[in-house]
Structure formats: C-alpha cells, structure tokens
Amino acid sequence: MTRTPVVPAAPAVSGRAARRRAALEWIAVHSLGIAAALFFTLPFVFVLLTSLMSDSQALSRDLIPDTWEWDNYRRVFDTPGFPTWWRNTLLYAGLGTVLTVVSSIPVAYALAKFRFRGRNLSLMLVISMMMLPPQVVVIPMYLFWAKQLDLSGSLWPLLIPMAFGDAFSVFLLRQFLTTVPDEYLDAARVDGCGELRTLLRVVLPMAKPGIAAVALFQFFYAWNDYFGPQIYASENPGAWTLSYGLESFKGAHHTDWNLTMAATVLVMAPVILVFFFAQKAFVEGVTLTGVKG
Amino acid sequence: MSTVTLASKRRRSALRTLAFLSPWLIGFSVFFAYPLLSTVYFSFMRYDGFRPPTWSGTQNWTYVFQHYPLFWPALRNTLWLVLVMVGLRVVFGLGVGILITKIRTGTGVFRTLFYLPYLAPPVAATMAFAFLLNPGTGPVNSILENAGVPAPAWFNDPAWSKPALTLLALWGIGDLMVIFMAALLDVPKEQYEAAELDGTSPWQRFRYVTLPNISPIVMFAVVTGVIQAMQYYTQPLVAGKVASGVIQGAGTQFEPGYPEKSTLTLPQLVYNLGFQRFDYGAACVVALVLFALSMAFTALLMRRRGGLVQAGDR
C-alpha cells in the first residue's frame, strides 16, 4: 500500500535549497565512495606494482617500478614446486567441487521437500556441523587417515570426505530448493515420475543458480584451504597446494618481495577471474545464506 | 485404501528418505560424530601417536588450564578479536552497506571494488598485508613516514599485530556489505517518508527506522562474526610466520603467536599441541574448549528469529 502525502513535503525548504542540498549530498557520498574505493583497491595496486619491480628495487622503498619486469611471472613458475602446487590445487578444487555437489544434492532435496520425522533435528545437525571449527575433530581424523589408512602426505584425506555431502553446501542448496514450488513436484509425481526422476528432470533444471553458487563456494573453499593441506599434505611437498606453498615460497625467496608478490597475484587471479564470470550466482549465494527472515 | 498397502507405502517412503540422506548420514557419522566422541576419549588419555594410549584421568585438563603457557594468552586474544575485530567489522560493514545504497553513479563499479578483497584467498591476502605493512620496505610505512607520521612495526610489534590483523579483516568486508545492502534495501520506503514528514533528522531516521528494521541482520552478523573469530586460524598464523621470517618445511618449528604470543588463537593451540608437541591428549582438551564455545554461539544463532533456519521456510 502506498500512501500519497496530502501535505507537500518539507514546506519550509524552497526548491532551490533542496536541490543544493541534494547536490552537496551527492558530492559527499561520492567522495566517501572514492575514499573507500582507494582503501579497497590500493593494496591490490601496490602488490601488482611490486610484482613488476626488479630484485634490487623491491628492496627499496620505491612505489613505482623503474623497469617493468614482466619476466618475474615466468620466474615464479621456474621455482621448484610451483607448477606441482598449481596442479594439486586444481585437482583439490576441481574434483572436490564435483564430489561435493553430486553428494549434497540428494541430501538437500530430502531436507527441503520430504516430510519425515527428525527433519528439523537433521537440519540443526547440518548447521552445527557447518559451524564446527575443523580443529575440533582434527586429532582423531588425522590419526584415522595417517595411522590407520596411511594416507598422509596426499590430498585423499581431503577429497574423500567431500563425496559424503558437505554441510555448508547441503544447507545452501536446501535454501534454494525450498523456493521451488511444490506444485511442480506434485505435477511430476502425478505424471508417474519416480522421486529420483523428479529430482533430476524437474528440480535440478530449476535449481541451476543454486548449484552454481554451491559449486563456486566449494571451489573457493578448496582453493583457499590452508589448514587441511597443512595437516595432511605438509610432510610431502609434492602434495602441497598453492595456499600452503605460497608461504614457503616466501621462505625460499627470503628477500624477494617482487617474486613473492608475483606468486601472490597468481594465487589471487583465478578466484577473481571466476568471480567475474559468475558474479550473479555468487552474490545470490551470499544473501541466501545470510538474510531473508 | 487398505491398511496393508498404506503401511508398505510408508515403509517405502522411509527407505526413500534414508537413501537420499545416506551420503550425509555416512558423512555425519564418520567425519563428525565418531571423531567428536574420539576427541572426548583422547582428552582423558595420554597419547603421543607412537606408544599406545593410556588412561590419564583429568591430567590433560589440568595441564592445559594450569600449566600450558599458551592457553590463557590465546583465550585472551580470542576475546580481543571478538570484542574489537567483530565489533569494528559489523560497524564498518554496515557503514559501507549504507554508503553503497546511497551511491547513485557507477554503483556497479563501486560495489565490485568493495567486494573484491573478500575474494582474495586468506593466505594471499595475508601475504599481501605482510608486505604492505612490513616496517622495512612496506608501502604503507613509506607513505606514513613521508607524511611525517610515526609508523608502527605492525606484525612485528605485539601492540600492533592485532590491529594489523583487524585492518586485514576490515579490508575483506565484502560479504557483510552484501548482506547489509540487501537488508537495507528491504526497509519499507513508506517508513522513511513518514519519518521525513515528521521532520526527523537523518540520525533519527537511522536510529528509529533503519536500525529496528535491520536488527535481525545485525544480530546475525555479530553471531556469525563471533563464530568466525573462534575459528580464526590462517591469517594470524601466516602473518606471524612471515613476519618472524621462518622458512617453512615439513616439521619446521616456529614461534607460536609471533610476536610474543600476540597473534595466538585457540585453533593454533590444537596444532601446536597435536602436531608440534605430539601431545594428542592435551590437543583434544583445547579442541573441546573450542567446540563448547562455538556450539554455544551456534545455539544462540539458531534461536534468533530471522536467523539461519528461517530462511526459505514457509
């Protein structure tokens, strides 16, 4: 319901004064916006500039490179280990995402659309699991993977659990699936569709944005994960990921901030590129897990 | 319909539910319930991973609370992070959220620029800040000194390491900005118009119209922030390691919480006790403290109206 004000708004202020106030506000808001934009972007700019400096200039206090050393980026790849970490990260993030999405979909569907006893309890357990710091269960998990299955020094202890539904992905997908109207499901069932067919043929096509968001979050999670690789892969440099290796890179190139920053750019770049291609799904995912009440 | 077919139908639907839930049921038991119970079990055992575990009663508990020199500093740091970092993040996130709703020109560009730092992988973002804020050649201190401002040593000074981490956390405010922006745009326009007719000041409109409307989201941001603060691990660890100049490798020892325990958090203690000192029993005690704290805040989150579970429920 919209109300039309009977009394003209703010009668004391003349039209010109109001316009001047609006102009001043526009200037104030946009100056603040530019200041904030500088705060958010300057770190990226300085990192980029330093990544293009020569070795000796990176040790100085200069802000702008004298000569633009694009070759630094090739030198990063020459560092032993770096290509391997790249491959491992793609494996962890890529395969991990596929496993997570495939295993989380049926669970999320059941939690969103089936009526059964213990549904609310299950949902609460999913949320608890999502909020659980990984450190709480890491000791028994490490002993399980390393001592009983002898799989430490590899990415398997990180990949295998992803085939069993990830709590955050289940939760996020369920949020999407509850918004699919029941009428579509009923129609499919009346037409004699089994539950699995209904899920695959009717629900999944409608849940594409949700699946995209889950896949993105999972990809970013694995790409960014530091603790997991530190626990399971640290003893074998051949199994390190970019997140874990980046810091050792700084160790190996003790004073070379230019190469370290070039490596940092290379670790950030894929995530930001992926974001630009899938912006909408990502922002939708952030709002859906946070708001709407 | 006869009762027999009804019963069999019910059984079929129960089986179907179980089948759909099975990946998670297995995952929950194997990767949550079982290790959680084992953590409780090991917290009463003396275990170094080589000799078989032996019963030690409450020894690990008294060790962690009374003799382990890192526990109380880590808890104090966590409290600091909860009060200062979470508080500032919520205030700053709300401020940036409001700013973005007011910007009329180039909104998309501004929003993307504000959001990007949130995407930077934590290790990369921490490395970037360790460089930006490094006292020797860092651009921030170069600029500060040129401006005649005394520059702090940031990650190398125990008094400045947590503020430096806070700066890093404020930089990555993008997620909160998006959440606040969505909430702010949902505030009914009529309420602002009515308040304006009453001749209220902008501050009064914020206080009496905006804030009551978005308070569930503020609460959500606070509680999830606290849960994140409990889990704060990668950034303080990487910042401490890079600033102290250790070279990482398998089994490398590094000073926990460099400088002077100022960046130590509870999750780091689990690593320190379990994987540096091979005292799995004591590590499990810290893990359980962490568990109790996070679950307390999770419970608070789930009880709030407009909180997590509400979303999408009809």
Side-chain angles (χ1 to χ4, degrees), chain A residues 61 131 174-175 230 247 282, chain B residues 115 136 145 233 248 311 313:
Chain A
R61 308 200 107 189
M131 297 297 175
R174 176 205 169 260
Q175 302 302 84
Q230 183 191 27
E247 177 201 282
F282 201 78
Chain B
Y115 190 72
E145 274 163 28
Y233 181 81
Q248 174 185 289
D313 277 341

Side-chain angles (χ1 to χ4, degrees), chain A residues 1 3 5 7 9 25-26 29-30 32-34 36-37 39-41 43-44 46-47 50 58-61 63 103 106-107 109-111 113-114 116 122-145 147-148 161 163-165 171 174-175 178 182 195-196 199 217 220 223-224 226-227 230-231 234-235 240 243-244 246-248 250-252 254 257 260-261 264 267-268 271-272 275-276 279 282-283 286-293, chain B residues 16-17 20-21 23-24 26-28 30-32 34-36 38-39 42 47 49-50 92 96 99 102-105 110 112-125 127-132 134-139 141-143 145 167 170-171 173 175 178-179 182-183 190 193-194 197 217 220 224 227 231 233-234 237-238 241-242 245-250 254 267 270-271 274-275 280 283-284 287 290-291 294-295 298 301-302 306-314:
Chain A
M1 218 168 59
R3 284 193 300 155
V7 189
E25 198 191 303
W26 190 94
V29 162
H30 287 80
L32 264 179
I34 289 167
F39 171 69
F40 289 118
T41 46
F44 287 119
F46 284 133
V47 165
T50 305
L59 287 172
S60 75
R61 308 200 107 189
L63 298 178
S103 62
V107 183
Y109 179 61
L111 284 176
K113 291 298 178 194
F114 292 179
F116 58 93
S122 311
L123 190 61
M124 260 156 72
L125 288 176
V126 169
I127 293 173
S128 315
M129 212 170 154
M130 185 170 106
M131 297 297 175
L132 189 83
Q135 287 83 8
V136 172
V137 291
V138 73
I139 301 289
M141 284 324 300
Y142 173 78
L143 296 173
F144 171 70
W145 292 111
K147 306 270 177 194
Q148 288 179 3
F164 296 95
F171 177 71
R174 176 205 169 260
Q175 302 302 84
T178 41
D182 282 334
E195 211 51 64
L196 195 61
L199 171 60
F217 276 108
F220 285 4
W223 193 275
N224 294 344
Y226 175 88
F227 185 66
Q230 183 191 27
I231 294 298
S234 63
E235 62 191 62
W240 286 4
S243 262
Y244 188 68
L246 183 59
E247 177 201 282
S248 80
K250 173 67 188 127
H254 218 52
W257 276 114
T260 307
M261 287 303 109
T264 301
V267 174
M268 285 182 179
V271 178
I272 287 172
F275 171 75
F276 274 112
Q279 207 166 352
F282 201 78
V283 172
V286 172
T287 26
L288 227 106
T289 41
V291 272
K292 291 199 177 161
Chain B
R16 186 195 67 188
T17 305
F20 275 72
L21 289 178
W24 183 71
I26 298 170
F28 180 79
V30 180
F31 305 117
F32 183 90
Y34 155 76
L36 192 58
S38 307
T39 304
F42 282 124
Y47 188 39
F50 296 100
F92 189 61
V96 174
L99 181 63
K102 297 236 186 271
I103 287 178
R104 296 265 172 274
T105 315
F110 278 109
T112 307
L113 290 182
F114 294 2
Y115 190 72
L116 277 185
Y118 166 69
L119 294 173
V123 175
M127 296 291 285
F129 268 63
F131 159 70
L132 292 167
N134 93 73
T137 57
N141 278 13
S142 302
I143 294 169
E145 274 163 28
L167 210 58
L170 291 182
W171 187 60
I173 204 78
D175 54 339
V178 170
I179 289 173
E190 301 89 71
E193 285 161 13
L197 283 179
I217 304 306
F220 172 84
T224 48
I227 294 170
Q231 311 191 5
Y233 181 81
T234 307
L237 179 65
V238 173
K241 278 199 199 175
V242 174
V246 296
I247 298 174
Q248 174 185 289
F254 48 87
V270 178
Y271 185 83
F275 301 98
Y280 292 123
C284 286
L290 199 58
F291 174 68
S294 335
M295 284 304 118
T298 303
L301 186 66
M302 288 200 278
L308 274 173
V309 193
Q310 231 73 22
D313 277 341
R314 280 160 295 171

Side-chain angles (χ1 to χ4, degrees), chain B residues 57-70:
Chain B
T58 53
Q59 241 179 47
N60 293 322
W61 293 81
T62 45
Y63 171 69
V64 166
F65 286 112
Q66 293 179 356
H67 306 293
Y68 178 49
L70 304 181

